Amino acid sequence: PEPLYRRALDAQLRTLGEEHPYTLTSVNNLAKLQKDMGKRSQAEPLYRRALEVRERTLGKDHPDTLTSVSNLALLLQTM
């Protein structure tokens, strides 16, 4: 499934841009896949990327931003 996740992310980056909510959802989905596959060191920068852009574009208290905070915290807890 990883190539499909990357394909979706690449297409969204090209067509929608880095800050679009759909793109950030794909970043988050790829990070979750990496985490689930045991590739935590690859998941962390993706989770951080989604969090940073969401904080900047949506604000620190937006539900999507808080989801990113939670996702990163859960990952760091397992490292």
Side-chain angles (χ1 to χ4, degrees), residues 16-76:
L16 302 173
E18 180 183 1
E19 296 182 353
H20 193 281
Y22 291 168
T23 304
L24 296 173
T25 297
S26 287
V27 170
N28 187 74
N29 290 345
L30 180 58
K32 183 178 181 328
L33 175 68
Q34 297 293 338
K35 177 185 168 217
D36 292 348
M37 292 173 39
K39 299 179 179 180
R40 289 172 175 82
S41 63
Q42 293 179 20
E44 183 178 355
L46 293 168
Y47 278 135
R48 288 187 184 280
R49 174 175 160 191
L51 175 58
E52 186 273 322
V53 176
R54 283 176 168 164
E55 280 184 336
R56 185 167 28 87
T57 59
L58 301 174
K60 292 184 183 234
D61 294 328
H62 190 280
D64 290 349
T65 303
L66 297 175
T67 296
S68 287
V69 170
S70 178
N71 289 340
L72 181 58
L74 288 170
L75 174 72
L76 294 175

